[in-house]
Amino acid sequence: MPASEKQMSPKELKFLLRLRVWLSEIIRPNELQVTLFWAGVIGFAGACASVAFRKLTGLVHYAFTQQYSGLVESFEHLRPLQRLYVPAIGGVLAGLTIFLGVRWGRRRSSTDYMEAIVLGDGIISFRSSIVKSLSAMFSIASGASIGREGPLVQLSSMIASLIGRWRKTPTLQLRLLVACGAAAGIASAYNAPIGGALFVAEIILQSLAMESFGPLVFSSVVSTLTVRQLLGEQPLYEIASVHLGSNWEILPLMLLGLVAGLFAPWFLRLLRASERMFSKLALPTYVRLGLGGLIVGLLAIWQPEVCGNGYSVVNEILHGNLLWQALVFILLFKLIATAATFGSGAVGGVFTPTLFVGACLGDLAVHAAQPLWLGTPLNPQVFVVIGMGAFLAATTHAPIMAIIMLFELTLDYQLILPLMLACVIAHYACLAFEKKSIYAESLKRKGGEIYRKQLAELSVADIMKPNPVNVDEDADFRSIAQKFISHRFRYLYVTSVDGGFRGVIALHDVKSNLTQSELAELVIARDLVQEDFPTIAPDASLVEALERFARHDGERLPVTTGANRKLIGSISKSDLLLALAERTKDPHQTADAPSNGAVAVVEG
């Protein structure tokens, strides 16, 4: 007998059962509410992991440069030779971490959080995730042109997977918890809770169903509040309140959206071409990453602005501290540095470098449009912000996420109209020339199309939980009470000797027996059973199961088969809704990261 079902004294049993009934009457948590609670726990844990990663990265950066300032500022103070070898050494160390980490623990599960959410069983390898995060730490701290959002998402997703496995969460719910971890990671990186939730919902899950979107939002908000409490509320980008001089300025901003949409396909093709080029070199991982770092170092000798994720440079652009002539060279060098870092297989994210490119396009666009504009002077900050949003929408093929995230960064409602127009135009312009987003290629290689086809053909048997908790129809009241105390179900299944389903006992049906101890000693399960209880067959479709739940207020349905209605499992409403949300995805879309990075870059 399990430890949770050890025999108790009648007094203990009676007290605990009364407490159980009382709590169910007051709180009555269902599975979705429990999922929401654990989404909050994951958000808090993911934020703590994010803060710890940032602090450790800062220490490693100091070891490389002997400075605590930002990456660009640190490299500006380094001698040319140091600018050359610091990224190269960091790349070699990052590659060695992966090279040795593969021998530390063979992969038994995915380390790609997107694969675990969309394709896998939600299990993310702890060892491999730690190895990849350490590799990312060396790359980021040494100036690689990549974002830190990758390892932040990886760590949060890994923590979510560990929590779900500890709770023995079913596969569909485990995948949702991992998605909550990913949302928490994005939110912690950008102080953008809605954007973090939409990133996962629109790009990975491709569903805005509340059964999945609600926990994502809860996790993101908790993560953002935790990071703000620990690190302060300073914005990621220092953006003053910006306003349009007139409504006519929407016209050049729409044109900027078109330019961003036309430039995005070339940016995506540059990243993929770099990846193919490095893969053809057939070099060991540490040599390949070291070569990528060396290229960044060479560029940093002339333009230290290419180092890091570009936060400080974007802030300089927003304040108008860079001449457009200098910005042209910075943009060109940054594109090469990002392609070298991405192609070499560094673990990190290209989400932030994408915002960098969009900011540069916006600033260059306003300088090009100003001499031709007859109205009031154009506001450069407006163009920079719109450029960031439009280019992000084009490369990710997720315009809603881009609109919300840039609005969260500015909190200026006047920008929302031109931002919406520019993002939509950029999205469709890019889509006309490039069908694949920055996250599309890997899922195709991993068989995502086959998976979704199989998902559309799921039946109840594919998502049911076998061996549900039940009691024999001759079980005494003590056994019934023990089951209700050990499990939080509202209904306890009752079976015959041959395993046939006889009905259920409702938790509240045992309430009257708590005040009549003598009568309770004589009661057996057969006396309390409700025989008129809905069941479902294992070969029933998910749509049929949804219709059955619509006429039933419980969280679970028993799955029975054969003439004697043998009880073989149960199906929960939350698992069903998650499966149906998956089923509504467009089978012609894919949503994963290329295989050599963590957010847009996941080392395989």
Side-chain angles (χ1 to χ4, degrees):
M1 179 177 293
S4 60
E5 297 186 15
K6 289 181 179 178
Q7 291 294 329
M8 303 178 185
S9 67
K11 184 177 293 187
E12 290 175 328
L13 197 62
K14 188 176 180 180
F15 170 77
L16 290 174
L17 190 54
R18 279 182 172 173
L19 180 63
R20 172 78 169 85
V21 173
W22 180 78
L23 287 175
S24 69
E25 290 177 340
I26 299 299
I27 303 174
R28 294 189 179 183
N30 57 36
E31 291 194 37
L32 289 175
Q33 292 167 340
V34 172
T35 300
L36 203 64
F37 168 78
W38 286 107
V41 173
I42 288 168
F44 174 77
C48 292
S50 172
V51 172
F53 181 86
R54 296 186 199 195
K55 297 295 185 181
L56 289 174
T57 303
L59 292 175
V60 176
H61 173 65
Y62 178 80
F64 279 126
T65 64
Q66 301 301 302
Q67 298 188 53
Y68 282 115
S69 55
L71 283 164
V72 174
E73 293 79 4
S74 296
F75 272 76
E76 286 176 344
H77 291 89
L78 295 180
R79 298 190 302 272
L81 184 60
Q82 289 177 299
R83 297 183 189 178
L84 175 66
Y85 69 70
V86 167
I89 293 175
V92 171
L93 292 175
L96 282 172
T97 302
I98 295 173
F99 182 79
L100 298 175
V102 170
R103 286 149 180 77
W104 173 37
R106 293 291 176 183
R107 283 176 54 178
R108 297 180 181 177
S109 56
S110 174
T111 57
D112 185 342
Y113 73 94
M114 290 187 178
E115 180 184 358
I117 296 169
V118 181
L119 294 176
D121 52 9
I123 297 177
I124 298 179
S125 169
F126 171 79
R127 288 186 176 183
S128 296
S129 294
I130 294 299
V131 167
K132 289 170 61 176
S133 298
L134 289 174
S135 175
M137 186 181 299
F138 285 121
S139 294
I140 294 169
S142 61
S145 181
I146 208 161
R148 67 188 176 199
E149 66 274 8
L152 299 187
V153 173
Q154 186 71 46
L155 288 171
S156 295
S157 301
M158 180 265 293
I159 291 171
S161 181
L162 290 177
I163 290 175
R165 289 157 64 186
W166 170 69
R167 294 187 60 240
K168 298 181 180 179
T169 306
T171 298
L172 286 173
Q173 291 188 21
L174 179 57
R175 286 161 56 189
L176 177 58
L177 291 182
V178 174
C180 291
I186 289 290
S188 69
Y190 294 99
N191 273 340
I194 306 175
L198 279 173
F199 173 88
V200 176
E202 190 175 8
I203 295 177
I204 306 175
L205 294 177
Q206 297 180 11
S207 170
L208 291 176
M210 280 307 298
E211 288 74 26
S212 57
F213 189 61
L216 295 180
V217 171
F218 197 73
S219 181
S220 295
V221 170
V222 172
S223 176
T224 303
L225 291 175
T226 304
V227 169
R228 289 178 180 177
Q229 182 66 33
L230 296 176
L231 298 180
E233 299 187 14
Q234 62 273 17
L236 192 65
Y237 298 110
E238 299 170 4
I239 303 174
S241 180
V242 291
H243 303 282
L244 297 179
S246 70
N247 290 334
W248 291 106
E249 288 186 25
I250 287 182
L251 296 177
L253 291 171
M254 291 170 62
L255 186 60
L256 171 59
L258 180 62
V259 171
L262 295 177
F263 187 77
W266 296 104
F267 176 72
L268 297 175
R269 291 166 189 171
L270 173 66
L271 296 181
R272 291 167 187 156
S274 175
E275 189 179 16
R276 289 193 299 269
M277 183 185 70
F278 273 93
S279 64
K280 290 179 180 179
L281 296 178
L283 298 171
T285 305
Y286 51 89
V287 177
R288 192 173 70 245
L289 267 69
L291 178 59
L294 184 63
I295 294 173
V296 174
L298 282 170
L299 298 171
I301 293 176
W302 291 278
Q303 293 289 347
E305 291 85 357
V306 303
C307 295
N309 49 32
Y311 288 151
S312 60
V313 180
V314 172
N315 281 319
E316 291 292 314
I317 296 172
L318 286 167
H319 288 89
N321 296 333
L322 290 174
L323 298 175
W324 72 265
Q325 296 89 341
L327 194 59
V328 170
F329 287 100
I330 292 174
L331 175 60
L332 179 62
F333 281 32
K334 185 67 173 181
L335 289 172
I336 299 173
T338 302
T341 304
F342 178 94
S344 67
V347 180
V350 294
F351 196 97
T352 312
T354 298
L355 294 175
F356 180 100
V357 175
C360 292
L361 288 178
D363 193 66
L364 293 174
V366 74
H367 283 93
Q370 189 64 71
L372 305 175
W373 185 247
L374 301 178
T376 56
L378 300 173
N379 188 331
Q381 281 195 333
V382 173
F383 278 73
V384 172
V385 172
I386 301 298
M388 294 165 69
F391 197 67
L392 182 63
T395 55
T396 60
H397 290 185
I400 298 176
M401 180 274 299
I403 292 168
I404 296 299
M405 180 163 283
L406 266 297
F407 176 68
E408 281 190 291
L409 292 177
T410 61
L411 296 178
D412 195 327
Y413 183 75
Q414 286 213 26
L415 286 182
I416 197 69
L417 296 181
L419 182 62
M420 290 170 67
L421 288 175
C423 287
V424 170
I425 291 172
H427 167 66
Y428 282 110
C430 179
L431 202 61
F433 297 95
E434 180 58 65
K435 303 297 182 184
K436 299 176 182 178
S437 75
I438 202 169
Y439 302 105
E441 191 64 28
S442 180
L443 189 56
K444 181 178 179 181
R445 291 198 295 262
K446 295 168 185 169
E449 298 294 336
I450 297 174
Y451 179 83
R452 287 198 176 91
K453 183 178 179 181
Q454 294 172 342
L455 185 61
E457 300 169 353
L458 281 179
S459 64
V460 168
D462 296 306
I463 64 172
M464 76 173 189
K465 303 170 187 174
N467 305 318
V469 177
N470 65 90
V471 293
D472 187 79
E473 59 183 341
D474 294 322
D476 58 19
F477 187 78
R478 175 184 290 272
S479 300
I480 297 169
Q482 193 78 49
K483 292 289 185 181
F484 273 123
I485 292 171
S486 302
H487 306 278
R488 59 179 182 84
F489 300 131
R490 292 169 55 193
Y491 296 102
L492 180 62
Y493 299 153
V494 180
T495 57
S496 59
V497 177
D498 60 356
F501 180 73
R502 293 297 307 273
V504 301
I505 299 174
L507 175 61
H508 295 285
D509 288 345
V510 305
K511 185 177 180 180
S512 60
N513 293 280
L514 293 176
T515 58
Q516 303 177 37
S517 303
E518 299 80 6
L519 183 60
E521 294 297 327
L522 304 175
V523 169
I524 61 174
R526 189 185 295 111
D527 300 322
L528 300 172
V529 69
Q530 297 179 15
E531 296 183 352
D532 185 20
F533 194 84
T535 63
I536 193 163
D539 57 352
S541 68
L542 300 189
V543 175
E544 182 180 347
L546 186 63
E547 293 173 351
R548 196 69 56 87
F549 268 116
R551 300 189 296 269
H552 174 58
D553 64 348
E555 286 295 319
R556 299 183 304 147
L557 280 177
V559 182
T560 61
T561 184
N564 70 332
R565 297 202 306 169
K566 182 177 181 180
L567 181 65
I568 61 173
S570 68
I571 177 175
S572 72
K573 185 185 294 184
S574 57
D575 282 352
L576 173 63
L577 293 174
L578 288 173
L580 287 173
E582 291 274 8
R583 189 180 182 185
T584 59
K585 294 179 186 177
D586 183 353
H588 299 292
Q589 293 179 347
T590 54
D592 200 354
S595 61
N596 65 335
V599 164
V601 197
V602 178
E603 169 62 36

